[in-house]
Amino acid sequence: MSAAAEYPVDHVLGDDVVDVADLVCPGCWSPVVDVPPAGWPARAGHLPEFSHEDGSVLCPDGAGRVPEPVEAGGLRYALTEQGSGASLGVAREWWT
C-alpha cells in the first residue's frame, strides 16, 4: 500500500498537504469544515470551499471578503488583563 493511500489528503495548498482538522477561521479562530456555506446565493459569486462547523460562511475580513482558513498550528495564545487573545506568528512579544 502506498503512503498516499495510508494518509488521505484533505486539501493541498501549494506543495503542502494540509489536514482540514488543522484549519481555523481567521476571524473567530473556530474550526472549519471543507463544505461550502449553507444558503450561499449564486449572485454572491464564487462559492467558498470552507465554512464554520454550523454551515455559516467564514467571518469576512475588514473589506467584506470571505477569507481562506488558516492553519491553527501557527497560532499563539496569550492571557491578558482584557482576556485571552490569539495571533498568527507575530505574538513573540506575548512570550517575553
Side-chain angles (χ1 to χ4, degrees):
M1 179 180 270
S2 73
E6 291 178 40
Y7 302 101
V9 175
D10 287 330
H11 289 278
V12 177
L13 301 177
D15 293 333
D16 299 326
V17 176
V18 179
D19 184 353
V20 72
D22 295 333
L23 298 175
V24 296
C25 174
C28 66
W29 312 111
S30 296
V32 301
V33 292
D34 56 348
V35 176
W40 185 261
R43 68 181 182 280
H46 174 72
L47 180 66
E49 295 179 38
F50 298 92
S51 63
H52 291 115
E53 291 179 312
D54 67 359
S56 62
V57 67
L58 297 184
C59 300
D61 64 13
R65 296 175 299 231
V66 177
E68 291 292 318
V70 296
E71 288 187 73
L75 296 176
R76 302 287 184 260
Y77 294 93
L79 214 50
T80 66
E81 290 179 16
Q82 292 80 25
S84 63
S87 178
L88 290 172
V90 294
R92 177 173 289 233
E93 63 274 1
W94 287 354
W95 302 105
T96 58

